[in-house]
Amino acid sequence: MKEFRSLLYESPAPHVARIVLNRPETRNAQDTRLLYELNHAFDTAAQDDEVKVIILAANGPHFSSGHDLREPNASEAMAEFDTVGTWCGFTCAGAEAQMAREKEIYLGFCERWRNIPKPTIAVVQGKCIAGGLMLIWPCDIIIASQDAQFVDPTVSFGVDGVEYFAHPWEMGPRKAKELLFTSDWLSAHEARSIGMVNRVVPREQLEQAALEMAAKISRKPLFALKLTKEAVNAAEDAQGRVAAMQTSFSLHQLAHTHNLHVHGMLIDPSGLPPDTARALRAKTNQKAS
Ligand code: ZN
């Protein structure tokens, strides 16, 4: 991958790399290309010894509308990119291809990014929906603008939460259940009060707040930062995070397979906005014919 089409890779300050999602016309919907580019950008920043802190930001009014459900031939798109995990069978029939794709580009990528041995800061404005959470949760610090809103509405369309099931770790089990059962929005201030967000600032101060935090962190020795990140991550993992997420991921695949049996598509379309449901039906019918 030589060039970025769906994001920008910037060096806004010494020792700071900034990755900017740049599909504002789709509210930064995540198609296969965007996710592979993001993975490549994270790898680039991780391997650059000059970089000590990585910022993940997004262009436009909203951080991300989630996975791009309108992407045509999503499974076939996998062939365009070099996969980074060991899973295979991206064009197989039935549940096999879907599980392979989600294990590679959703759970697999998020886990990789969460384990990058450098501090990462997600900078969030506007709406951050479902798969959008899967970009910010793997980051170490989250700074949100006052107007930021978060939601995982997947239960509304017959799925038990996004593929990187970090909800209980991000907000505690009780709030996680409320968020998932109701599909309610979480405001920036509430997200901060439950520990999911570090700082909330006015939208016009968002970029500066992230750069100030990055500058402060970048003055520390990088090896100490790496070790500290490993230590905190290990504390979460000692509580069974990885095994719990594998279980959630398997249940998520069961939900997709159930929906495929009952509704002819991976999700229950009754919970979707009518135009998205129509587009999905058309895509499914096209595939079947
Ligand atoms: Zn899924």
Side-chain angles (χ1 to χ4, degrees):
M1 192 180 294
K2 295 215 168 47
E3 58 175 29
F4 296 117
R5 283 192 235 156
S6 302
L7 52 82
L8 309 171
Y9 187 92
E10 302 172 336
S11 306
H15 307 300
V16 179
R18 183 166 59 199
I19 303 164
V20 185
L21 309 179
N22 196 27
R23 294 186 80 206
E25 70 285 0
T26 66
R27 299 187 296 284
N28 296 310
Q30 304 160 33
D31 60 3
T32 310
R33 167 164 290 280
L34 180 137
L35 290 169
Y36 271 97
E37 288 192 5
L38 181 54
N39 186 62
H40 181 57
F42 270 130
D43 276 354
T44 302
Q47 296 302 327
D48 182 345
D49 290 343
E50 287 299 308
V51 172
K52 293 169 83 172
V53 182
I54 305 166
I55 293 175
L56 175 64
N59 261 346
H62 301 293
F63 182 83
S64 177
S65 56
H67 297 151
D68 191 346
L69 299 178
R70 294 164 187 248
E71 180 179 4
N73 306 317
S75 289
E76 287 81 351
M78 299 294 292
E80 286 183 43
F81 305 95
D82 293 328
T83 53
V84 298
T86 50
W87 208 261
C88 52
F90 299 105
T91 54
C92 290
E96 194 171 352
Q98 188 63 25
M99 183 174 183
R101 175 179 162 80
E102 300 203 346
K103 212 168 168 68
E104 161 80 7
I105 67 168
Y106 299 151
L107 183 59
F109 275 174
C110 290
E111 193 66 21
R112 283 191 92 234
W113 304 334
R114 186 251 187 194
N115 293 327
I116 290 169
K118 292 182 179 180
T120 51
I121 303 174
V123 182
V124 189
Q125 78 279 12
K127 293 191 166 78
C128 180
I129 302 173
L133 298 168
M134 292 168 51
L135 302 190
I136 63 168
W137 282 346
C139 292
D140 302 311
I141 304 275
I142 300 176
I143 302 179
S145 65
Q146 285 167 340
D147 68 338
Q149 286 182 288
F150 309 87
V151 71
D152 181 352
T154 48
V155 174
S156 298
F157 41 90
V159 181
D160 55 321
V162 293
E163 291 84 357
Y164 183 76
F165 197 84
H167 316 61
W169 313 93
E170 292 289 341
M171 62 193 75
R174 206 168 296 283
K175 189 68 193 179
K177 286 172 186 166
E178 181 191 333
L179 184 96
L180 287 161
F181 291 169
T182 63
S183 301
D184 279 349
W185 289 93
L186 191 62
S187 71
H189 286 289
E190 194 178 4
R192 185 174 182 277
S193 74
I194 59 175
M196 195 191 100
V197 160
N198 295 77
R199 286 192 62 193
V200 178
V201 298
R203 167 88 71 117
E204 61 275 14
Q205 293 172 20
L206 192 57
E207 183 180 349
Q208 192 55 30
L211 287 173
E212 281 171 14
M213 172 97 69
K216 191 180 278 189
I217 295 171
S218 72
R219 289 195 284 274
K220 310 283 188 273
L222 181 54
F223 192 43
L225 292 168
K226 288 178 182 173
L227 299 179
T228 304
K229 177 165 178 170
E230 285 284 285
V232 177
N233 282 2
E236 271 189 310
D237 293 353
Q239 296 170 50
R241 183 194 62 88
V242 175
M245 271 200 194
Q246 290 293 348
T247 301
S248 316
F249 182 78
S250 302
L251 297 174
H252 180 101
Q253 296 310 313
L254 173 65
H256 279 324
T257 305
H258 172 78
N259 288 325
L260 211 46
H261 276 302
V262 178
H263 304 290
M265 60 180 77
L266 295 167
I267 57 179
D268 176 346
S270 62
L272 286 174
D275 62 325
T276 311
R278 262 196 303 278
L280 268 182
R281 276 208 188 86
K283 205 171 95 170
T284 309
N285 292 339
Q286 213 175 25
K287 250 187 175 171
S289 63

